[in-house]
Amino acid sequence: SDVYKRQVSTQSTWDFIMEKIGSKFKLAIMTSKGHPMLKKILASKLDTYFDYDIVESLDQVKAMPTATEYNAIFVLTVASAIPFPMVPVILQELIVRSPKLTWVHSMSAGVDYMLCEALIKSKTITFTNARGAYDRSLCEYVLLSILYFTKKMHILQKNKAEHKYQMLLVDNAWDNTKVGIIGYGSIGRNTAKLLKQSINAKIYAIKATPTTKPEDKDLIDFLGQEKDIPYVLSEVDYVINILPYTPRTKHVFTLSVFKQMKPTAIYINIGRGATVVETDLIEALNTKVIAGASLDVFEKEPLPSTSPLFDMDNVLISPHTMGYTMHGWDYCLSAFEAELKNYVEKTPFTNTVNLEKGYQSSSITVSYTHLTLPTSDLVQISVVAVSLKKK
C-alpha cells in the first residue's frame, strides 16, 4: 500500500503522458455512470483528455464497430448495474472487438470475477491490478475483528438490546494473541505489520512460495506452506483467510479444516467467499467447533436474507465493503496513473497478474492457461467506453 500513497496529478504530469501517448491512444473504462472512481478521475482533471461514450449493456457493446481502436481497458468494479454472469461476457466482447488492445487494468485486487476466454488466451495482452490499494482498510477490519471478540462486543451488544446491565470478564489482545494468516501476500503482510505494531501479535503465516521480503523477518514468527496449515490452525487464536479465489483454492475451508482449529478460535475471512464451504462454517459455529467468525465475503453474494449467519450472535457480518473507502479509491487511481506511466514509457508494469494462477504474479512474466470459473462467483460491473485523446 505504500506504493500508492496518493499524489495529486499535476497538469505537467498529464501533459507529459499525453505527449508520450499521442492522440491515437484510446482507452475503454468499464464502470457505471455514478461510480465514485469516475468522479475521482474527473476531480483529477483527467477529463481534460477524455471523451466519454458510456455503455452499460452488452447490446451497446455489440453496437460498437467490429474493430475498435482501444489500446487499453480500465476495469472499475462495485457500483454494479448488470447481472453477475454478464461481466465476463461484456469484457469478452470488448476484447474481441479491440485488435489493438495490449493492456487491461483492474481497479480491484481480486480478479477472479472478470476472467474471460479472450483475456486468458491472449498472448499480447498484459493484465494488471490495484494490488495494495485496499490493504489499509482490510488490515483495520482484521484488527477491529480481533478487538470485537477479545472485548466480547457481541455479548455487550446483545445485553444492550435486551436492556441488560451485566458485568462480564473480557480479555486483552496485547501480547496475548496468536494470528494465523492463510494467504500471505500484500494484504497479509500489511495485516501482520499492523497487528505487530498495535497488539504485538504473534504471526503465523502460510504462503504459496517460500520467498519473503526483508521486512518479513521482523513480522513473521512462523512461516509455512500448504503442508503446515494443520499446525498453524491448531496453534492460533485467530485464523485470517486472505486466499484469492482460483480453482485450486475453491472450498478449501471445510468442516474438517475448522475442526483443526481451537474451539476458542475465531475465523476471519477477507479473501474470497468461495474458498469456504459456507454450510460447513455454519455447522462449525452451531456445534461450537469454533467460537465465532468475522466475515466480509460470502459464498453467495449478496448473502441471502435467509442465511443462518444473520441470526448468530457470534458472527460479525459486513457486506463485502471493508476494502472500499474513498481513500482506497485514491490509491486505486494512483495505481492506474502509475501503470499508465509504465505503459507510455514502455517500462515493466508494477502489478502484473498471473492469469494461470488468477492472482498477483511475483514477476513480470505472465502465463496463459484456459480456466473455467463458475459464474456464481463473479462480481457485477458495468461498462463505460472511453476515448482518450490529446487536446
Side-chain angles (χ1 to χ4, degrees):
S1 60
D2 291 339
V3 177
Y4 299 125
K5 288 180 179 176
R6 184 74 182 99
Q7 297 179 352
V8 178
S9 298
T10 63
Q11 192 71 26
S12 60
T13 298
W14 286 100
D15 284 342
F16 165 78
I17 289 177
M18 294 312 301
E19 182 180 348
K20 287 278 188 179
I21 292 178
S23 58
K24 294 182 179 180
F25 181 85
K26 290 189 177 181
L27 174 72
I29 299 185
M30 300 178 61
T31 190
S32 58
K33 292 180 182 179
H35 197 289
M37 177 62 75
L38 197 56
K39 295 178 181 178
K40 288 284 184 183
I41 291 175
L42 296 176
S44 297
K45 298 183 179 179
L46 303 188
D47 57 314
T48 305
Y49 306 104
F50 288 80
D51 286 336
Y52 292 88
D53 293 320
I54 299 177
V55 181
E56 296 182 294
S57 71
L58 180 61
D59 288 341
Q60 288 174 293
V61 177
K62 287 185 174 180
M64 295 178 182
T66 54
T68 69
E69 297 296 315
Y70 298 124
N71 303 102
I73 296 173
F74 180 29
V75 181
L76 299 178
T77 55
V78 197
S80 313
I82 60 176
F84 290 170
M86 293 305 296
V87 176
V89 177
I90 292 175
L91 184 58
Q92 169 84 12
E93 189 69 25
L94 194 54
I95 292 174
V96 168
R97 290 171 178 268
S98 305
K100 296 183 178 180
L101 186 69
T102 57
W103 173 36
V104 174
H105 177 76
S106 171
M107 64 84 76
S108 62
V111 296
D112 51 277
Y113 63 87
M114 60 177 288
L115 296 179
C116 62
E117 186 176 14
L119 177 61
I120 294 167
K121 285 190 171 182
S122 173
K123 300 211 183 319
T124 58
I125 298 173
T126 301
F127 187 24
T128 60
N129 67 353
R131 182 175 187 258
Y134 305 99
D135 292 11
R136 295 182 181 187
S137 184
L138 289 171
C139 295
E140 291 172 354
Y141 180 68
V142 170
L143 178 58
L144 165 72
S145 299
I146 291 174
L147 295 177
Y148 179 88
F149 285 101
T150 301
K151 300 305 179 186
K152 300 184 179 179
M153 295 302 298
H154 56 302
I155 298 176
L156 294 176
Q157 286 182 314
K158 185 175 183 293
N159 288 347
K160 180 185 175 184
E162 296 174 355
H163 291 215
K164 184 188 298 183
Y165 187 86
Q166 181 179 9
M167 297 285 289
L168 72 156
L169 185 66
V170 298
D171 209 340
N172 63 285
W174 179 265
D175 273 342
N176 194 38
T177 303
K178 295 180 180 179
V179 175
I181 299 176
I182 313 300
Y184 189 80
S186 174
I187 297 172
R189 178 171 290 106
N190 283 292
T191 297
K193 188 182 300 184
L194 178 61
L195 296 181
K196 274 290 185 184
Q197 293 172 346
S198 59
I199 60 174
N200 198 29
K202 190 171 183 180
I203 305 297
Y204 295 68
I206 295 295
K207 197 172 183 293
T209 60
T211 57
T212 59
K213 292 186 176 182
E215 62 183 310
D216 291 332
K217 182 179 179 181
D218 297 323
L219 295 177
I220 302 175
D221 297 280
F222 173 84
L223 176 63
Q225 294 181 260
E226 186 176 347
K227 63 181 177 59
D228 301 302
I229 290 179
Y231 166 70
V232 170
L233 295 179
S234 68
E235 286 289 314
V236 302
D237 306 301
Y238 293 86
V239 174
I240 307 171
N241 178 1
I242 320 182
L243 291 172
Y245 175 70
T246 69
R248 181 174 173 79
T249 63
K250 182 177 181 180
H251 289 170
V252 295
F253 276 89
T254 61
L255 183 59
S256 62
V257 172
F258 289 121
K259 286 181 177 180
Q260 297 175 49
M261 294 169 57
K262 295 178 181 179
T264 55
I266 304 295
Y267 171 75
I268 301 172
N269 193 354
I270 57 171
R272 281 291 185 258
T275 60
V276 61
V277 179
E278 205 160 276
T279 53
D280 285 6
L281 172 60
I282 291 170
E283 183 177 349
L285 290 163
N286 275 331
T287 58
K288 299 183 179 180
V289 169
I290 59 175
S294 178
L295 309 171
D296 185 51
V297 292
F298 304 89
E299 193 170 12
K300 182 179 180 180
E301 295 181 4
L303 183 65
S305 60
T306 55
S307 172
L309 292 170
F310 280 116
D311 300 315
M312 295 181 175
D313 293 332
N314 59 340
V315 176
L316 179 61
I317 290 176
S318 58
H320 204 155
T321 58
M322 286 299 110
Y324 300 111
T325 67
M326 292 307 293
H327 292 299
W329 279 314
D330 281 340
Y331 300 139
C332 286
L333 184 53
S334 292
F336 171 59
E337 292 170 0
E339 296 293 25
L340 181 58
K341 191 170 184 292
N342 289 333
Y343 180 88
V344 301
E345 292 185 331
K346 295 181 171 58
T347 56
F349 286 105
T350 304
N351 286 334
T352 305
V353 175
N354 187 321
L355 287 171
E356 180 180 6
K357 295 179 180 178
Y359 58 88
Q360 168 71 24
S361 176
S362 59
S363 67
I364 295 301
T365 304
V366 181
S367 301
Y368 298 89
T369 302
H370 180 67
L371 301 177
T372 302
L373 299 179
T375 56
S376 60
D377 296 313
L378 301 175
V379 175
Q380 293 173 312
I381 57 174
S382 340
V383 178
V384 177
V386 177
S387 207
L388 177 61
K389 68 180 183 180
K390 185 176 181 180
K391 294 187 178 180

